[in-house]
Amino acid sequence: MKLARAIHLDDSDRNVFFSPARTGEWCLSGGFEFSDWTEADLVGKARQAFANGWLGLETFGRATFVAVTPVSETEFASLAARLAQHFVDVYGAPSVAAARGVAEEELRYMAELCEEHAENTLLAVQRELTAEGVRESYRAITVPEAELDLVAVHGDMH
């Protein structure tokens, strides 16, 4: 199974997001954060997070790019628990147990997105607010492994 980790090609995320994701942390789209947003919410750094930010699952900060990376079942389960707790803490889910299914669904969606791509493929997300709600699209950027290793750090940072 594959998911994606935050990757930084330069320091721009520190300047464009209120809270940048840490290099190497697991990420998912995190579009759920914007489900009730309106045009009035789309200003400054919040607009950038909405338009192009992946959600880190450690800091819950944002990253512009993620790199496709294998994930173990144990890591997947840990991420689901962490995301379920986030749903309780931030979104008022009644319990971690109640939020677990939604958290796993979000992670499975990200795994499906990553599955078709080779390891180290960079992914970018783009969102727009439509009359029907938030629409997300994704772009894959294939980078030769040698070049990626020269400019970026990803993987297990523990």
Side-chain angles (χ1 to χ4, degrees):
M1 181 183 332
K2 299 176 200 168
L3 285 177
R5 291 184 184 264
I7 190 166
H8 296 99
L9 305 176
D10 58 30
D11 289 337
S12 61
D13 282 359
R14 290 188 183 127
N15 300 317
V16 299
F17 298 125
F18 283 120
S19 176
R22 182 183 62 78
T23 299
E25 77 178 276
W26 293 108
C27 293
L28 51 76
S29 163
F32 55 80
E33 181 178 352
F34 310 111
S35 62
D36 62 352
W37 281 34
T38 66
E39 286 291 332
D41 296 305
L42 300 178
V43 295
K45 291 183 177 190
R47 179 178 191 77
Q48 187 65 31
F50 170 83
N52 304 104
W54 296 96
L55 180 67
L57 293 174
E58 185 178 318
T59 63
F60 294 98
R62 294 282 171 169
T64 301
F65 295 106
V66 294
V68 174
T69 309
V71 63
S72 71
E73 290 293 331
T74 302
E75 286 173 301
F76 187 92
S78 175
L79 293 170
R82 182 179 297 138
L83 185 56
Q85 184 64 56
H86 181 70
F87 288 157
V88 170
D89 295 345
V90 176
Y91 297 101
S95 68
V96 171
R100 182 71 183 229
V102 175
E104 288 175 354
E105 186 177 312
E106 288 287 333
L107 287 162
R108 279 193 299 274
Y109 178 77
M110 188 68 184
E112 288 174 14
L113 177 66
C114 292
E115 196 57 39
E116 68 186 73
H117 300 291
E119 288 179 35
N120 294 325
T121 299
L122 299 184
L123 301 177
V125 61
Q126 184 172 9
R127 289 184 199 85
E128 60 183 315
L129 197 56
T130 69
E132 295 81 36
V134 177
R135 181 174 29 204
E136 291 184 336
S137 59
Y138 308 97
R139 184 170 49 108
I141 305 160
T142 304
V143 178
E145 188 171 332
E147 289 180 28
L148 181 63
D149 290 344
L150 290 174
V151 298
V153 176
H154 62 93
D156 193 352
M157 301 299 288
H158 297 282

